[in-house]
């Protein structure tokens, strides 16, 4: 409570940012600009890509399991020192940095639009979750999160590239803000769910279940991404003024 003023300030900034997202511009040069820049166009697109949004919520929500149970894995299960917890936590950003550098290379750019590869990434993530839940060698968990960071960078770049190529530039800001609200909102909700489930299940088993869910999710990723592309073509045909 000593830092309530900091939290109040952050909440105020967040509310201000949300207000800026929802308020349309005041300058209108034509009816076409009014349609393109208004909030209604964003809603039209979002309504057609609900499965895609649910997928992003699921992936973000399930990743929270490692944040919730990281300290328990290191201290309670493996009885390891704090340095291994540091390796575990630092693995994500380090892996994402390496993944970002790899994705900048010319040989990798040809793989950015492959739905099959995205499904494979999700499958590998699920497998690593299962391995982390059963692993009892501390340093291997740090390696696991490092690999997860690399794969997560690949997934993020794929999704961001797809959005940039599909969403009209005039509403990209509003679209990204709303989709971020969808995906980020899953984190605190799932953190509560995982914490509550730990009262009834040994928490490494919860991570195992999360990994299995991701493995099964990988089986429908291609279908979801194909439906996204079809939905965007449908929106463009029915609402050409948005594009």
């Amino acid at each position: 409570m000593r830092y309530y003023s900091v939290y109040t300030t952050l909440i105020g900034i967040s509310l201000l940012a949300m207000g800026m997202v929802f308020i349309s511009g005041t300058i209108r040069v034509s009816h076409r600009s009014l349609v393109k820049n208004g909030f209604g166009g964003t809603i039209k697109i979002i309504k057609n890509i609900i499965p895609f949004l649910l997928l992003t919520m699921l992936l973000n929500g399930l990743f929270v399991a490692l944040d919730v149970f990281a300290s328990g894995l290191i201290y309670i299960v493996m009885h390891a020192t704090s340095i291994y917890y540091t390796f575990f936590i630092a693995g994500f950003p380090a892996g994402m940095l390496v993944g970002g550098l790899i994705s900048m290379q010319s040989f990798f750019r040809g793989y950015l639009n492959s739905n099959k590869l995205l499904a494979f990434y999700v499958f590998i993530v699920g497998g690593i979750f299962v391995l982390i839940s059963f692993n009892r060698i501390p340093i291997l968990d740090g390696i696991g999160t490092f690999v997860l960071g690399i794969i997560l960078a690949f997934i993020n770049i794929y999704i961001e590239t797809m959005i940039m190529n599909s969403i009209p530039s005039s509403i990209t800001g509003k679209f990204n803000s709303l989709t971020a609200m969808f995906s980020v909102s899953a984190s605190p909700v799932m953190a509560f769910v995982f914490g509550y489930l730990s009262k009834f299940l040994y928490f490494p088993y919860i991570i195992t279940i999360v990994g299995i869910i991701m493995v099964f999710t990988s089986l429908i990723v291609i279908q979801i991404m194909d439906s996204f592309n079809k939905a965007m073509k449908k929106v463009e045909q029915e609402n050409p003024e948005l594009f």
Side-chain angles (χ1 to χ4, degrees):
M1 293 300 295
R2 290 184 300 168
Y3 305 103
Y4 72 92
S5 60
V6 177
Y7 299 133
T8 302
T9 302
L10 293 175
I11 292 172
I13 294 173
S14 300
L15 292 175
L16 176 62
M18 290 178 62
M20 294 173 64
V21 168
F22 282 92
I23 296 175
S24 300
T26 57
I27 299 177
R28 296 289 182 264
V29 297
S30 68
H31 173 69
R32 180 179 176 83
S33 296
L34 177 64
V35 174
K36 289 180 67 175
N37 295 316
F39 192 71
T42 309
I43 297 298
K44 289 180 181 179
I45 292 178
I46 287 179
K47 288 192 300 184
N48 287 276
I49 59 170
I50 295 298
F52 169 77
L53 296 178
L54 292 177
L55 174 64
T56 60
M57 288 181 63
L58 178 66
L59 293 178
N60 278 279
L62 294 180
F63 258 97
V64 175
L66 291 184
D67 293 331
V68 173
F69 299 126
S71 59
L73 285 172
I74 300 300
Y75 297 126
I76 299 176
V77 176
M78 289 180 276
H79 307 289
T81 59
S82 59
I83 187 64
Y84 291 103
Y85 178 74
T86 302
F87 287 148
F88 187 94
I89 297 300
F92 279 110
M96 293 189 70
L97 174 61
V98 172
L101 294 175
I102 293 174
S103 64
M104 294 171 60
Q105 306 304 312
S106 57
F107 73 88
F108 187 80
R109 294 173 185 171
Y111 300 100
L112 289 178
N113 297 320
S114 173
N115 291 342
K116 292 182 179 179
L117 197 57
L118 178 63
F120 178 71
Y121 291 153
V122 177
F123 179 85
I124 293 298
V125 167
I128 294 176
F129 266 66
V130 174
L131 290 176
I132 288 177
S133 67
F134 283 101
N135 174 57
R136 297 298 180 264
I137 302 176
I139 192 63
L140 292 182
D141 273 1
I143 296 174
T145 56
F146 177 76
V147 176
L148 283 176
I150 294 176
I151 297 176
L152 185 60
F154 292 164
I155 293 175
N156 288 340
I157 291 171
Y158 174 89
I159 292 177
E160 290 171 5
T161 301
M162 184 188 63
I163 290 175
M164 290 175 59
N165 293 334
S166 303
I167 304 302
S169 58
S170 58
I171 60 174
T172 299
K174 292 183 177 64
F175 179 86
N176 288 341
S177 298
L178 286 178
T179 52
M181 288 171 59
F182 271 97
S183 59
V184 174
S185 63
S187 298
V189 173
M190 293 307 297
F192 174 80
V193 170
F194 290 139
Y196 184 76
L197 288 177
S198 65
K199 294 173 59 176
F200 309 99
L201 293 173
Y202 185 41
F203 61 87
Y205 296 161
I206 298 177
I207 299 177
T208 303
I209 294 171
V210 168
I212 293 173
I213 292 174
M214 285 194 175
V215 168
F216 280 103
T217 300
S218 69
L219 302 178
I220 61 173
V221 166
I222 295 177
Q223 181 180 354
I224 291 175
M225 304 313 291
D226 287 341
S227 69
F228 175 89
N229 293 327
K230 292 178 181 178
M232 290 307 303
K233 291 179 180 179
K234 178 182 176 182
V235 171
E236 185 174 2
Q237 292 173 353
E238 295 179 350
N239 305 275
E241 72 279 3
L242 296 177
F243 297 81

